[in-house]
Amino acid sequence: MTPSRNHLFRAFRDAIPAMDKALVIHPDGGIETYADALALSGRLANLLVARGVKPGDRVAVQVDKSWPALALYLAAVRAGAVYLPLNTAYTLNEVDYFLSDAQPTVFVCRPQILAEAKALADKVKVPCVETLGADGVGSLTEAAAGQPEAFEDVERGPEDLAGILYTSGTTGRAKGAMLSHENLLSNAAVLRDDWRFTGDDVLIHALPIFHTHGLFVASNIILLSGASMIFCPKFDAGEALAMMGWSDHRPTVMMGVPTFYTRLLDNPGLTREATAHMRLFVSGSAPLLAETHRAFETRTGHAILERYGMTETGMNTSNPYDGARIAGTVGFPLPGISVRVSDPESGRILGADEIGMIEVKGPNVFKGYWRMPEKTASEFHDGYFITGDLGKIDGAGYVHIVGRGKDLVITGGFNVYPKEVESEIDAIPGVLESAVIGVTHPDFGEGVTAVVVAKPGASLTEEAIHGALDGKLAKFKLPKKVFFVPELPRNTMGKVQKNILRDTYKDIYRNVA
Ligand code: AMP
C-alpha cells in the first residue's frame, strides 16, 4: 500500500488539483482555497500539539458548522488525533457523558457555553477547553493565528483511528463508533468513483458536519475529488434553488436527507429549468418515500439516487449511477462491500426476497465501539456487522429496507432511540410507563411521539411532560405530541406492541405543514 492510501489526510493532499482552487464556497460567494485549507489546518494542528494532543488522543468538538470547524477536522487528522464531533443539539448533561467516556485531550465548544464547559472539563478531567463560534471566531482560531502554517503530518497506519462518532444504543447508552483511516478513506474513494465525482463538481453542502453524512460522506468525497462545496449553515429550499442558478461556482450535486427533498417539492421554484445544471441528487440517512422519489422525477427529470449507510459502516449500498434507480430501494452493495440477510433467530443466511437482518462486511466496517469489546463482539456474526436494519435483497440484487429491528425513530435525519426518551419520561413523577414511537410526519419524516400511562390518581398534561423533559434531552428527541392512555397494548410475552400504537396514531401529523 502506498502511504496516500493509508493516511486520510495524505490522500486528500494528493488529490488537490491546484492550490488556488476553491474548496469551500460561502453562501455569499466568498471562497476558501485548498491553500487556505492547508494553511489553517496546519496552524490548528500545531496548536493541538501545543495543547498536548498526541497521536491517538481524542479531540472532542461541539460547534456550529463553519469553515474553521472543517479545518479543525483536518487538523486533528493531520496531528494523528481522533476527531470526535458532537451534535450541537446535545445538552450539557449529554456532553458530560461523552467527555467522561471518550476522555479527550481538548474540547472545543461554542463560546456561549464556555463557563459550563470549563466546569464540566474540570470535573471529568479534560485538560484543555477552547471555543469556536458560528462566525468562525473563538479562542481556538485566535490562538491558531500565532502558530506556523507548516506542519508535518503525523504518520498513521490504516488501522489507526481517525474519528469516533457516538451513536445511541437500544439501551439508551450512546456508544462511540471507532472509525479508522482505512474505513473513511476506502468509503470516500468508493463513493467518489461510484457517483462519478471529479474536480469539476460543486456540491451543495447543507448537512451538519457532526454526522457521518455531512462529514465522512459529503466532505470527504469533495476533498478526495479535489472538488468544491458550497458550505451552507443549514438547509433552506429557496436558497438551494437560488444557488442552482449561480453562474459562478454553479452547483452540480446535492446531498440531503429526505426532508430536503420534501421541502424542495413544496417550493414552486423547483422546476426542470432550475435543476438543469445539476447532475446528481443523493438521499440518505432515512427512508425516502417512493412518492417523493416519483414526484421529484416528474417535476425535475432527476431520479434521486438513494443510498444506505450508518455511523458504524459509512455507506453500504447505493442505487446505480447508470441504470435504474428504483424508488423504495437502497440499491446494490458498493464495490468491495458484501451485504447479506440472515434470519434474526437462527442466523441462517437467507435467499432472495426473504426478509431478515441486514449484515455488512468490508473495509468500511468500523473497528468497534470505544471501550466496549463485549458489545462490539455481540454485534458481529461470522465477521459481518449486524446492522439492526431489517430488509431483503430482491432477485435483481437491489437491497430493500423494510423496518428497523432496533425501533429507531429518524426525525429530520437524526436518530432517536425510543428507549432513551422513555427512560426520561418514566422518571417524571406521576408517570407509570411510556412508549415512544415514530409517526409519519410530512416535514420530519417521522415525529417523535410519546404514549404515556399515568399512575393512579396522578394528573398529568402534555405541557407538564414537555416541561419536565426540557433541558434533559436534545430538542430533536423531545416528543412532538404526548398522548395519555389507561394501559399500553402488550403481546402474550409482555412486550409492548408498538405496531399497534403506530397504527393508532398514524394520522396525527397528517395536517401539519
Ligand atoms: P446513522 O447511524 O445516524 O447514520 O443512522 C443509520 C440508520 O439510518 C440505518 O441503520 C438505517 O436504519 C437508517 N438509514 C440510513 N439510510 C437509509 C435509507 N436510505 N433508507 C432507510 N433507512 C436508512
Side-chain angles (χ1 to χ4, degrees):
M1 256 198 190
T2 61
S4 74
R5 285 174 65 197
N6 287 345
H7 193 293
L8 186 61
F9 188 79
R10 207 160 294 153
F12 293 157
R13 193 193 272 277
D14 288 351
I16 298 176
M19 285 300 167
D20 60 355
K21 167 150 192 179
L23 166 60
V24 161
I25 302 151
H26 296 289
D28 68 3
I31 63 163
E32 311 293 345
T33 63
Y34 275 88
D36 296 331
L38 284 182
L40 184 55
S41 65
R43 290 184 198 280
L44 288 165
N46 278 309
L47 179 68
L48 291 176
V49 172
R51 294 289 190 262
V53 172
K54 293 180 292 306
D57 281 5
R58 277 75 55 213
V59 173
V61 177
Q62 188 191 36
V63 299
D64 294 301
K65 183 176 178 180
S66 70
W67 148 245
L70 180 75
L72 177 59
Y73 157 54
L74 299 177
V77 176
R78 294 183 70 179
V82 183
Y83 188 66
L84 196 166
L86 293 167
N87 190 327
T88 43
Y90 286 138
T91 63
L92 271 173
N93 184 23
E94 291 163 305
V95 172
D96 185 340
Y97 167 74
F98 296 122
L99 296 187
S100 314
D101 191 53
Q103 296 182 297
T105 304
V106 173
F107 174 43
V108 184
C109 68
R110 287 177 286 184
Q112 54 271 37
I113 66 153
L114 179 62
E116 297 93 321
K118 277 218 159 114
L120 186 59
D122 279 348
K123 187 185 100 177
V124 301
K125 302 197 173 39
V126 172
C128 173
V129 177
E130 299 286 353
T131 62
L132 181 62
D135 54 2
V137 178
S139 68
L140 184 85
T141 40
E142 276 158 27
Q147 294 285 334
E149 282 178 23
F151 182 82
E152 193 162 336
D153 302 335
V154 173
E155 272 309 323
R156 295 270 84 190
E159 300 285 305
D160 287 322
L161 301 188
I164 291 182
L165 289 184
Y166 274 86
T167 172
S168 300
T170 36
T171 57
R173 195 174 158 212
K175 300 164 293 197
M178 302 189 288
L179 295 153
S180 69
H181 280 252
E182 188 193 20
N183 291 151
L184 300 180
L185 189 46
S186 70
N187 210 230
V190 159
L191 294 171
R192 174 197 59 195
D193 298 344
D194 210 65
W195 295 344
R196 310 280 199 278
F197 270 87
T198 70
D200 293 334
D201 277 307
V202 178
L203 174 77
I204 298 181
H205 189 309
L207 294 158
I209 54 168
F210 51 71
H211 186 269
T212 191
H213 196 167
L215 190 63
F216 296 146
V217 179
S219 304
N220 282 1
I221 292 178
I222 293 306
L223 285 155
L224 206 57
S225 309
S228 308
M229 53 186 164
I230 308 172
F231 226 47
C232 314
K234 62 176 179 35
F235 180 74
D236 178 282
E239 277 172 21
L241 286 164
M243 283 166 188
M244 289 179 209
W246 282 3
S247 49
D248 265 356
H249 307 298
R250 180 170 267 167
T252 57
V253 183
M254 192 182 92
M255 288 182 196
V257 295
T259 315
F260 288 15
Y261 294 103
T262 51
R263 291 198 181 160
L264 280 171
L265 280 164
D266 284 343
N267 192 307
L270 181 78
T271 60
R272 210 166 263 268
E273 296 69 46
T275 57
H277 288 274
M278 298 293 284
R279 69 170 183 88
L280 182 64
F281 288 91
V282 180
S283 177
S285 288
L288 181 77
L289 292 178
E291 191 187 306
T292 309
H293 190 280
R294 279 191 282 272
F296 199 86
E297 189 163 14
T298 308
R299 279 270 284 283
T300 66
H302 292 281
I304 298 171
L305 182 151
E306 186 170 9
R307 93 297 179 282
Y308 158 62
M310 59 200 306
T311 301
E312 289 92 333
T313 63
M315 298 303 102
N316 298 316
T317 73
S318 171
N319 268 281
Y321 191 81
D322 298 315
R325 299 178 193 163
I326 311 236
T329 82
V330 293
F332 305 113
L334 285 158
I337 297 172
S338 312
V339 177
R340 67 183 191 183
V341 176
S342 72
D343 183 305
E345 301 299 316
S346 67
R348 186 174 65 83
I349 307 310
L350 302 174
D353 283 324
E354 288 186 289
I355 292 174
M357 182 59 75
I358 299 178
E359 301 183 347
V360 180
K361 187 175 168 177
N364 56 318
V365 175
F366 75 140
K367 298 288 140 199
Y369 295 113
W370 173 254
R371 293 184 178 160
M372 287 186 179
E374 278 149 33
K375 178 74 192 155
T376 302
S378 71
E379 301 271 335
F380 281 84
H381 175 204
D382 297 338
Y384 278 74
F385 176 62
I386 305 166
T387 62
D389 291 309
L390 299 172
K392 64 175 188 177
I393 305 177
D394 70 20
Y398 285 85
V399 176
H400 300 237
I401 297 173
V402 300
R404 290 168 305 224
K406 293 174 183 170
D407 257 339
L408 182 69
V409 180
I410 303 185
T411 180
F414 293 127
N415 290 355
V416 179
Y417 284 82
K419 181 84 185 169
E420 191 187 4
V421 186
E422 286 160 8
S423 307
E424 291 290 350
I425 297 177
D426 293 351
I428 299 171
V431 171
L432 182 65
E433 60 172 351
S434 63
V436 166
I437 51 170
V439 174
T440 304
H441 189 291
D443 202 17
F444 294 98
E446 287 182 321
V448 178
T449 306
V451 185
V452 175
V453 182
K455 284 185 180 149
S459 72
L460 288 167
T461 59
E462 183 167 34
E463 288 70 19
I465 302 282
H466 277 141
L469 293 178
D470 197 27
K472 292 244 168 56
L473 293 168
K475 287 238 169 346
F476 68 87
K477 298 179 188 169
L478 298 176
K480 298 209 181 317
K481 281 188 195 276
V482 181
F483 295 93
F484 294 92
V485 293
E487 59 178 18
L488 295 174
R490 288 196 143 80
N491 68 11
T492 49
M493 301 298 289
K495 283 193 203 299
V496 175
Q497 292 170 297
K498 289 199 168 177
N499 51 334
I500 295 180
L501 292 176
R502 285 189 201 104
D503 195 43
T504 308
Y505 297 104
K506 65 179 185 303
D507 294 327
I508 53 171
Y509 299 115
R510 180 167 279 198
N511 297 319
V512 180

